[in-house]
Amino acid sequence: DADVTQTPRNRITKTGKRIMLECSQTKGHDRMYWYRQDPGLGLQLIYYSFDVKDINKGEISDGYSVSRQAQAKFSLSLESAIPNQTALYFCATSRDNTDTQYFGPGTRLTVL
Amino acid sequence: AQKVTQAQTEISVVEKEDVTLDCVYETRDTTYYLFWYKQPPSGELVFLIRRNSFDEQNEISGRYSWNFQKSTSSFNFTITASQVVDSAVYFCALSDAAGGTSYGKLTFGQGTILTVHP
Protein backbone atom coordinates (compact mmCIF):
# COMPACT_ATOMS: atom_id res chain seq x y z
CA ASP A 1 0.00 0.00 0.00
CA ALA A 2 1.13 3.56 -0.73
CA ASP A 3 2.58 5.51 2.19
CA VAL A 4 0.89 8.77 1.16
CA THR A 5 -2.58 8.64 -0.36
CA GLN A 6 -4.78 11.36 -1.78
CA THR A 7 -8.50 11.38 -2.50
CA PRO A 8 -10.02 11.99 -4.92
CA ARG A 9 -7.49 11.40 -7.69
CA ASN A 10 -9.51 13.40 -10.19
CA ARG A 11 -12.27 15.94 -9.65
CA ILE A 12 -14.25 18.21 -11.90
CA THR A 13 -16.27 20.92 -10.21
CA LYS A 14 -18.00 24.18 -11.01
CA THR A 15 -17.11 27.73 -10.11
CA GLY A 16 -18.31 28.66 -6.64
CA LYS A 17 -18.49 25.13 -5.28
CA ARG A 18 -16.75 24.08 -2.08
CA ILE A 19 -14.37 21.21 -2.48
CA MET A 20 -12.14 19.25 -0.12
CA LEU A 21 -9.04 17.29 -1.04
CA GLU A 22 -7.84 14.73 1.48
CA CYS A 23 -4.42 13.35 2.29
CA SER A 24 -3.50 10.45 4.54
CA GLN A 25 -0.10 9.03 5.40
CA THR A 26 1.18 5.92 7.11
CA LYS A 27 4.80 7.06 7.36
CA GLY A 28 4.38 8.42 10.88
CA HIS A 29 5.72 11.82 9.85
CA ASP A 30 4.87 14.97 11.76
CA ARG A 31 5.19 17.38 8.87
CA MET A 32 2.69 17.60 6.05
CA TYR A 33 2.46 19.93 3.07
CA TRP A 34 0.09 20.90 0.27
CA TYR A 35 1.47 22.01 -3.11
CA ARG A 36 -0.08 22.91 -6.43
CA GLN A 37 1.54 22.32 -9.78
CA ASP A 38 0.74 24.38 -12.84
CA PRO A 39 2.26 23.65 -16.24
CA GLY A 40 5.63 25.33 -16.58
CA LEU A 41 5.59 26.68 -13.03
CA GLY A 42 6.99 23.83 -10.99
CA LEU A 43 5.47 23.31 -7.56
CA GLN A 44 4.26 26.04 -5.24
CA LEU A 45 3.60 25.58 -1.53
CA ILE A 46 0.06 26.32 -0.34
CA TYR A 47 0.13 25.33 3.36
CA TYR A 48 2.31 23.31 5.68
CA SER A 49 1.87 21.81 9.11
CA PHE A 50 4.49 20.85 11.70
CA ASP A 51 1.95 18.94 13.78
CA VAL A 52 -1.76 18.91 14.57
CA LYS A 53 -1.65 22.28 16.34
CA ASP A 54 0.79 24.08 14.07
CA ILE A 55 -0.40 25.15 10.62
CA ASN A 56 1.25 27.77 8.46
CA LYS A 57 0.61 29.56 5.19
CA GLY A 58 2.87 28.92 2.26
CA GLU A 59 3.53 30.98 -0.85
CA ILE A 60 0.04 30.92 -2.35
CA SER A 61 -2.52 30.36 0.43
CA ASP A 62 -5.19 32.83 -0.73
CA GLY A 63 -8.41 31.02 -1.60
CA TYR A 64 -7.42 27.89 0.31
CA SER A 65 -7.81 26.59 3.85
CA VAL A 66 -6.54 23.46 5.57
CA SER A 67 -7.34 21.18 8.47
CA ARG A 68 -4.99 18.79 10.27
CA GLN A 69 -7.42 16.31 11.77
CA ALA A 70 -4.74 13.97 13.08
CA GLN A 71 -1.05 13.33 12.63
CA ALA A 72 -1.89 11.19 9.64
CA LYS A 73 -4.50 13.39 7.95
CA PHE A 74 -4.25 16.80 6.30
CA SER A 75 -7.10 18.22 4.21
CA LEU A 76 -7.11 21.10 1.75
CA SER A 77 -10.33 23.04 1.09
CA LEU A 78 -11.31 25.44 -1.63
CA GLU A 79 -14.21 27.37 -0.13
CA SER A 80 -15.41 28.79 -3.42
CA ALA A 81 -13.56 27.27 -6.35
CA ILE A 82 -12.54 29.42 -9.31
CA PRO A 83 -11.19 28.36 -12.72
CA ASN A 84 -7.61 29.49 -12.05
CA GLN A 85 -7.45 26.93 -9.25
CA THR A 86 -7.45 24.26 -11.92
CA ALA A 87 -4.18 22.42 -11.25
CA LEU A 88 -2.52 19.26 -10.02
CA TYR A 89 -2.44 19.19 -6.21
CA PHE A 90 0.11 17.25 -4.21
CA CYS A 91 0.32 16.35 -0.56
CA ALA A 92 3.74 15.59 0.92
CA THR A 93 5.14 14.47 4.26
CA SER A 94 8.52 14.60 5.98
CA ARG A 95 10.03 13.69 9.32
CA ASP A 96 11.62 17.07 9.95
CA ASN A 97 13.02 20.09 8.14
CA THR A 98 16.09 18.25 6.90
CA ASP A 99 14.26 15.15 5.73
CA THR A 100 13.14 14.24 2.25
CA GLN A 101 9.57 15.19 1.39
CA TYR A 102 7.59 12.22 0.08
CA PHE A 103 4.72 13.01 -2.23
CA GLY A 104 1.30 11.50 -2.72
CA PRO A 105 0.03 10.53 -6.18
CA GLY A 106 -1.64 13.90 -6.77
CA THR A 107 -5.21 15.11 -7.33
CA ARG A 108 -6.09 16.57 -10.70
CA LEU A 109 -8.68 19.30 -10.11
CA THR A 110 -10.60 21.03 -12.87
CA VAL A 111 -12.82 24.02 -12.07
CA LEU A 112 -15.24 24.88 -14.85
CA ALA B 1 16.44 34.04 -1.60
CA GLN B 2 16.80 30.51 -2.82
CA LYS B 3 16.58 29.70 -6.48
CA VAL B 4 16.90 26.60 -8.63
CA THR B 5 17.46 26.85 -12.36
CA GLN B 6 17.00 24.03 -14.81
CA ALA B 7 17.96 25.72 -18.05
CA GLN B 8 16.98 22.79 -20.26
CA THR B 9 13.24 22.94 -20.76
CA GLU B 10 13.08 19.89 -23.00
CA ILE B 11 15.56 17.22 -24.06
CA SER B 12 14.97 14.58 -26.68
CA VAL B 13 17.28 11.58 -27.11
CA VAL B 14 17.26 8.20 -28.74
CA GLU B 15 17.29 5.09 -26.61
CA LYS B 16 20.74 4.04 -25.32
CA GLU B 17 22.11 7.57 -25.50
CA ASP B 18 23.52 9.12 -22.33
CA VAL B 19 21.82 12.31 -21.20
CA THR B 20 22.71 14.90 -18.55
CA LEU B 21 20.15 17.13 -16.90
CA ASP B 22 21.57 20.36 -15.52
CA CYS B 23 20.66 21.99 -12.22
CA VAL B 24 22.13 25.21 -10.84
CA TYR B 25 21.11 26.56 -7.47
CA GLU B 26 21.47 29.72 -5.40
CA THR B 27 21.39 29.90 -1.62
CA ARG B 28 23.01 31.85 1.19
CA ASP B 29 22.72 28.95 3.59
CA THR B 30 25.81 26.94 4.42
CA THR B 31 23.69 23.90 5.25
CA TYR B 32 21.22 22.81 2.64
CA TYR B 33 19.92 19.75 0.83
CA LEU B 34 19.50 19.05 -2.84
CA PHE B 35 17.02 16.64 -4.38
CA TRP B 36 15.98 15.18 -7.68
CA TYR B 37 12.43 14.00 -8.32
CA LYS B 38 10.98 12.23 -11.35
CA GLN B 39 7.44 12.84 -12.62
CA PRO B 40 6.45 10.17 -15.16
CA PRO B 41 3.47 10.66 -17.49
CA SER B 42 1.19 9.13 -14.84
CA GLY B 43 1.79 12.28 -12.76
CA GLU B 44 3.17 11.14 -9.43
CA LEU B 45 6.36 12.62 -8.00
CA VAL B 46 9.01 10.00 -7.31
CA PHE B 47 11.96 10.80 -5.06
CA LEU B 48 15.32 9.88 -6.63
CA ILE B 49 18.09 11.29 -4.47
CA ARG B 50 18.93 13.58 -1.56
CA ARG B 51 22.33 15.15 -1.06
CA ASN B 52 23.47 17.40 1.79
CA SER B 53 25.77 20.37 1.27
CA PHE B 54 28.68 18.78 3.12
CA ASP B 55 28.83 15.69 0.97
CA GLU B 56 30.32 16.35 -2.44
CA GLN B 57 30.83 12.73 -3.33
CA ASN B 58 29.27 11.74 -6.58
CA GLU B 59 26.62 9.08 -6.41
CA ILE B 60 25.81 6.25 -8.76
CA SER B 61 22.69 4.13 -8.65
CA GLY B 62 22.40 1.75 -11.55
CA ARG B 63 22.11 3.84 -14.72
CA TYR B 64 21.69 7.04 -12.71
CA SER B 65 24.53 9.21 -11.45
CA TRP B 66 24.71 12.60 -9.82
CA ASN B 67 27.54 15.14 -9.87
CA PHE B 68 27.45 17.69 -7.04
CA GLN B 69 29.90 20.60 -7.33
CA LYS B 70 29.68 23.34 -4.70
CA SER B 71 32.25 25.46 -6.56
CA THR B 72 29.82 25.91 -9.43
CA SER B 73 26.60 25.48 -7.38
CA SER B 74 25.53 22.64 -9.61
CA PHE B 75 23.89 19.26 -9.02
CA ASN B 76 23.67 17.55 -12.39
CA PHE B 77 21.94 14.26 -13.13
CA THR B 78 23.13 11.81 -15.77
CA ILE B 79 21.21 8.86 -17.15
CA THR B 80 23.44 6.33 -18.88
CA ALA B 81 22.06 4.21 -21.71
CA SER B 82 18.66 5.88 -21.56
CA GLN B 83 15.48 3.85 -21.97
CA VAL B 84 11.98 4.77 -23.08
CA VAL B 85 10.80 4.32 -19.47
CA ASP B 86 13.06 7.21 -18.47
CA SER B 87 10.75 9.59 -20.31
CA ALA B 88 9.44 11.96 -17.65
CA VAL B 89 9.74 15.43 -16.21
CA TYR B 90 12.67 15.71 -13.84
CA PHE B 91 12.75 18.28 -11.06
CA CYS B 92 15.73 19.51 -9.09
CA ALA B 93 14.92 21.00 -5.68
CA LEU B 94 16.73 22.80 -2.88
CA SER B 95 15.81 22.65 0.80
CA ASP B 96 16.30 25.36 3.36
CA ALA B 97 17.57 23.24 6.24
CA ALA B 98 18.18 25.96 8.81
CA GLY B 99 17.29 25.04 12.34
CA GLY B 100 14.68 26.44 14.64
CA THR B 101 11.34 27.14 13.04
CA SER B 102 12.47 26.61 9.47
CA TYR B 103 10.09 24.30 7.73
CA GLY B 104 12.61 22.97 5.28
CA LYS B 105 11.18 24.97 2.40
CA LEU B 106 11.59 23.11 -0.86
CA THR B 107 12.34 25.33 -3.82
CA PHE B 108 11.78 23.55 -7.12
CA GLY B 109 13.26 24.22 -10.50
CA GLN B 110 10.92 24.48 -13.48
CA GLY B 111 11.62 20.93 -14.53
CA THR B 112 13.19 19.34 -17.61
CA ILE B 113 11.01 17.27 -19.92
CA LEU B 114 13.00 14.25 -21.08
CA THR B 115 11.72 12.24 -24.03
CA VAL B 116 13.52 9.04 -24.94
CA HIS B 117 12.62 7.74 -28.39
CA PRO B 118 12.85 4.03 -29.29
Side-chain angles (χ1 to χ4, degrees):
Chain A
D1 289 338
D3 295 321
V4 185
T5 57
Q6 292 183 234
T7 56
R9 295 294 311 279
N10 289 282
R11 181 71 182 267
I12 299 174
T13 191
K14 295 182 179 180
T15 297
K17 294 291 187 181
R18 183 180 188 276
I19 184 167
M20 179 182 287
L21 310 183
E22 298 187 341
C23 176
S24 294
Q25 52 113 348
T26 58
K27 298 182 80 69
H29 289 167
D30 285 329
R31 298 189 176 213
M32 298 187 73
Y33 311 79
W34 275 104
Y35 291 87
R36 70 176 273 175
Q37 183 183 26
D38 298 280
L41 291 181
L43 277 80
Q44 298 173 279
L45 183 66
I46 306 172
Y47 271 94
Y48 61 101
S49 170
F50 288 165
D51 61 37
V52 175
K53 297 181 181 179
D54 191 346
I55 294 176
N56 304 276
K57 293 182 177 181
E59 303 164 287
I60 55 163
S61 58
D62 288 348
Y64 301 94
S65 62
V66 291
S67 172
R68 184 83 182 265
Q69 301 95 325
Q71 187 207 34
K73 295 184 182 298
F74 193 34
S75 301
L76 175 71
S77 294
L78 288 68
E79 296 302 325
S80 180
I82 56 177
N84 76 0
Q85 291 177 313
T86 293
L88 184 55
Y89 290 84
F90 286 101
C91 173
T93 75
S94 71
R95 218 173 24 215
D96 55 42
N97 65 315
T98 66
D99 188 28
T100 298
Q101 290 186 23
Y102 295 93
F103 287 81
T107 294
R108 194 169 296 278
L109 176 66
T110 302
V111 183
L112 302 176
Chain B
Q2 296 185 320
K3 186 178 179 182
V4 176
T5 302
Q6 295 179 252
Q8 304 149 308
T9 305
E10 293 190 50
I11 300 176
S12 182
V13 299
V14 177
E15 211 169 18
K16 297 185 183 178
E17 284 186 33
D18 298 347
V19 57
T20 295
L21 309 181
D22 297 332
C23 173
V24 174
Y25 63 91
E26 297 175 27
T27 180
R28 292 183 178 180
D29 295 330
T30 54
T31 302
Y32 52 89
Y33 293 83
L34 294 162
F35 303 83
W36 276 94
Y37 288 88
K38 173 182 179 180
Q39 187 173 37
S42 52
E44 70 269 28
L45 275 169
V46 179
F47 163 71
L48 295 178
I49 190 171
R50 170 178 177 266
R51 171 69 71 222
N52 76 55
S53 53
F54 297 107
D55 183 2
E56 287 195 70
Q57 281 191 330
N58 292 332
E59 174 122 0
I60 298 174
S61 176
R63 295 184 297 106
Y64 294 172
S65 62
W66 290 270
N67 183 346
F68 175 33
Q69 292 194 337
K70 287 180 75 171
S71 60
T72 56
S73 297
S74 65
F75 186 43
N76 296 338
F77 173 30
T78 297
I79 302 174
T80 303
S82 61
Q83 299 177 0
V84 172
V85 293
D86 295 327
S87 297
V89 183
Y90 290 87
F91 291 95
C92 180
L94 169 67
S95 173
D96 159 18
T101 59
S102 166
Y103 66 87
K105 172 181 167 61
L106 257 188
T107 300
F108 284 86
Q110 300 307 306
T112 296
I113 302 171
L114 174 65
T115 303
V116 182
H117 300 279

